[in-house]
Amino acid sequence: MTLQTALLQGTELLEAESILAPRLTAEVLLAHALRQDRVYLYAHPEEELTEVAWIHYGRYLHQRMQGMPTQYITKRQEFYGREFRVTSDVLIPRPETEHLVEAALSRISFGDTVVDIGTGSGALAVTLALEKRVHVFAGDISPAAVKVARANAAHWQVRVQFFVGDLCLPLADRSVDVLVCNPPYVPLTDQPGLQREVRDYEPHVALFGGPTGLEQYQRLIADARRVLRPGGWLLVELGYNSVELVSEMLRSQEAWRDVEVASDLAGLPRVLAARYSP
């Protein structure tokens, strides 16, 4: 079987299972089976697929048709122009979270101590460390996630100090200049309606924020008041329809000033920033 034929057959199988972007997915999976990039498929369409590569490709197609996200099959996801390793122990970094990067970069100054809470793959922490060359700490409640994050930091040869812990608990009082977090914000009541790729494969501890989806925001804001230095920034990614409620959590407390909201490319409120001014 040639690469061209394998690609066509894979596309047909994925289409039959209503997998989004079947052609692109087949390309990514076939290239991964060959340990090549996608350009290789078009440069060598008549090359015969080896038996080993066919076995790998067939397994990858089966996994994707069962609902496993492509990123968990290839163990890769691009974020802010860089490739990161991902496993089923971490949430797959989304393009929307790049807005959190942009909001944080505009508020980080030289010499600041930056903390990423709920770091997952470490994509956010590593990106901030690379872009700003500042001291970054990153924590997660999941030891398995921290292991993945450490591997990504090592790959990009950047200094990030990781810790395992619940939110800001391991951090000292008044030790942080910029605190960033993409918290679990999906309400538990939304679980049945999620895409199977998300519901059945991504870690629930990184997805679900509680019955309303707001519980982790409430806990994080309380923690942030302890660890932020006066004048420090708290930046969080927002879930669907959460902007007003999270904004009110901050505006109802005198300690928070300069509450600002940034929207994503679809015009949806995506990032909230607030300055701690006790």
Side-chain angles (χ1 to χ4, degrees), residues 53-207:
W54 171 246
I55 291 171
H56 287 310
Y57 183 46
R59 184 172 77 252
Y60 300 154
L61 288 170
H62 177 73
Q63 289 173 328
R64 186 66 192 94
M65 290 187 289
Q66 293 299 307
M68 181 180 288
T70 302
Q71 295 91 333
Y72 287 157
I73 299 171
T74 63
K75 303 292 191 292
R76 302 171 186 168
Q77 171 66 3
E78 183 178 300
F79 182 81
Y80 213 76
R82 299 180 179 95
E83 189 174 271
F84 288 87
R85 176 176 171 78
V86 295
T87 73
S88 57
D89 293 313
V90 301
L91 203 68
I92 298 168
R94 265 65 168 184
E96 292 82 4
T97 304
E98 295 184 359
H99 295 282
L100 182 55
V101 172
E102 295 291 344
L105 290 176
S106 68
R107 291 169 173 85
I108 295 172
S109 300
F110 179 77
D112 279 353
T113 295
V114 180
V115 175
D116 173 26
I117 295 297
T119 193
S121 67
L124 181 53
V126 170
T127 299
L128 294 177
L130 287 168
E131 294 293 322
K132 279 291 190 176
R133 300 294 175 181
V134 291
H135 195 185
V136 178
F137 293 84
D140 202 289
I141 198 171
S142 165
V146 169
K147 183 178 179 180
V148 174
R150 281 199 178 105
N152 280 318
H155 172 78
W156 287 106
Q157 300 181 334
V158 67
R159 184 169 175 258
V160 178
Q161 289 184 250
F162 294 98
F163 61 88
V164 176
D166 185 19
L167 295 181
C168 304
L169 186 62
L171 301 175
D173 293 358
R174 303 291 177 261
S175 61
V176 181
D177 297 292
V178 179
L179 182 65
V180 299
C181 181
N182 179 14
Y185 54 65
V186 179
L188 281 169
T189 52
D190 287 1
Q191 182 174 351
L194 293 177
Q195 290 181 313
R196 64 173 179 168
E197 286 85 350
V198 176
R199 182 190 63 237
D200 297 343
Y201 289 92
E202 298 205 61
H204 286 193
V205 69
L207 282 172

Side-chain angles (χ1 to χ4, degrees), residues 7-25:
L7 186 57
L8 291 172
Q9 289 191 3
T11 301
E12 291 173 358
L13 288 169
L14 294 169
E15 281 181 339
E17 294 294 326
S18 301
I19 300 298
L20 292 176
R23 174 76 180 198
L24 174 60
T25 302

Side-chain angles (χ1 to χ4, degrees), residues 27-48:
E27 291 175 2
V28 170
L29 296 181
L30 181 55
H32 184 56
L34 295 169
R35 302 300 186 261
Q36 300 285 352
D37 56 31
R38 287 167 52 211
V39 174
Y40 186 89
L41 305 179
Y42 293 96
H44 306 84
E46 300 306 318
E47 180 179 310
E48 292 289 329

